[in-house]
Amino acid sequence: MGREEILTVQDICKRYHDFFLDYVSFEIKAGEIVGLIGPNGAGKSTVLKLILGIIGLDEGAIFLRKEKMHSKDGKSLKERVGYVGENVDFFEKCRLKEIKQFYQLFYSTWDEKHYRSLMERFELLEGYKMSELSKGMKTKFSLCLALAHRPELLLMDEPTSGLDPLVRNEILALLKQYAKTEGAGILFSSHITEDMEKIAEELLFLYRGKLLDKCKIEKFVDNRIPIDVHLENLIVGRGTYEKSSV
């Protein structure tokens, strides 16, 4: 029996004067981590914003466990989604405890015990102000907030950009564990292909608003195909690859 679909994206479109997200479709199953790959301006953040409802769809539909998102009942569905972005610069003068108290007001499913265990895992103290944290610590705290209400779907927008390898590995380990133990789906947008190789099951290749390819990570591991080279070849329109001799 196949795994249940957590997220279903059907032919979504978004038009701007200089950009068009062109009928993008994909699915994320329970326990699956999907990587979203593409250069700057490819449309990765647009896809995430559409899923979150920050911007509206021009066409298409998005479903969370077969329930249509951003309808009249959208608020209840939003509680089931978590988000971590690249820039964690909110509430710079506030202490972590104050930020947490504000954040948890929006989630009826907030699990304080789970939040505490995440904070302990990352050795974060609530007495710190955001301005006193390193970039890595800010990202860890943002992840604690995002996971504390046990979301069924977690969206990650370049969360490990600019972080040292040790911090990145800590975060990736937690994501793998969360997807497996909670049966959650994770959509992970990143430029760092090493991260994708470590945690993603499937990769989506996006360029100038078009979804160029969808493939399992085994294609790259088994055939020694560099992910970034695959993207470059998709962009220039080259064909398939021969197995690397490197």
Side-chain angles (χ1 to χ4, degrees):
M1 181 180 295
R3 292 180 291 179
E4 180 184 2
E5 289 182 1
I6 298 292
L7 178 71
T8 305
V9 174
Q10 292 182 350
D11 294 324
I12 60 172
C13 297
K14 186 65 183 179
R15 295 176 177 86
Y16 296 102
H17 71 279
D18 59 350
F19 177 79
F20 175 44
L21 188 71
D22 190 2
Y23 295 95
V24 170
S25 299
F26 61 90
E27 302 83 30
I28 299 179
K29 295 179 172 59
E32 184 178 40
I33 301 177
V34 174
L36 186 58
I37 302 283
N40 290 332
K44 301 188 301 298
S45 293
T46 299
V47 170
L48 295 177
K49 288 176 181 178
L50 288 168
I51 297 171
L52 289 167
I54 296 174
I55 56 178
L57 287 167
D58 289 338
E59 295 183 56
I62 300 171
F63 299 87
L64 182 65
R65 290 190 187 271
K66 300 182 180 180
E67 295 182 69
K68 192 171 184 178
M69 298 185 71
H70 317 310
S71 60
K72 292 181 179 179
D73 298 325
K75 183 181 183 300
S76 61
L77 294 182
K78 287 180 181 179
E79 285 195 61
R80 294 155 58 184
V81 179
Y83 172 77
V84 178
E86 177 182 2
N87 297 314
V88 190
D89 53 5
F90 49 83
F91 304 116
E92 282 292 300
K93 296 182 180 180
C94 295
R95 298 192 185 278
L96 305 192
K97 182 177 181 179
E98 297 167 337
I99 300 171
K100 185 268 293 188
Q101 290 172 341
F102 173 77
Y103 199 86
Q104 71 182 118
L105 295 175
F106 297 93
Y107 297 98
S108 61
T109 56
W110 184 271
D111 186 335
E112 184 68 15
K113 184 177 180 181
H114 185 47
Y115 166 77
R116 296 288 176 186
S117 69
L118 292 169
M119 292 288 284
E120 290 178 8
R121 175 170 179 161
F122 286 139
E123 299 181 341
L124 293 171
L125 300 177
E126 286 192 321
Y128 281 115
K129 291 183 179 180
M130 282 294 287
S131 59
E132 297 172 333
L133 302 184
S134 66
K135 184 173 183 179
M137 292 173 71
K138 288 180 179 179
T139 301
K140 290 178 181 179
F141 179 61
S142 184
L143 189 55
C144 291
L145 295 177
L147 296 182
H149 58 100
R150 296 187 181 277
E152 299 168 41
L153 173 67
L154 180 64
L155 305 177
M156 312 284 288
D157 191 4
E158 303 283 356
T160 57
S161 177
L163 304 183
D164 66 66
L166 181 60
V167 174
R168 279 167 41 207
N169 287 337
E170 283 186 88
I171 292 172
L172 297 178
L174 177 59
L175 293 177
K176 287 182 69 173
Q177 179 184 5
Y178 185 77
K180 181 178 180 180
T181 59
E182 299 289 332
I186 299 178
L187 180 59
F188 192 110
S189 168
S190 179
H191 288 97
I192 306 174
T193 56
E194 292 177 7
D195 290 351
M196 297 299 185
E197 292 173 355
K198 290 177 181 178
I199 66 169
E201 286 187 47
E202 185 173 48
L203 297 180
L204 310 174
F205 291 88
L206 197 65
Y207 180 65
R208 292 184 177 177
K210 293 182 179 293
L211 189 58
L212 301 183
D213 196 13
K214 292 187 285 188
C215 47
K216 297 295 183 182
I217 194 67
E218 287 83 5
K219 172 177 180 177
F220 305 96
V221 176
D222 295 345
N223 297 309
R224 300 180 184 178
I225 300 172
I227 294 173
D228 53 351
V229 172
H230 181 66
L231 176 60
E232 290 172 8
N233 280 282
L234 287 171
I235 291 172
V236 299
R238 295 178 184 173
T240 57
Y241 298 97
E242 298 294 330
K243 185 172 181 179
S244 171
S245 60
V246 178

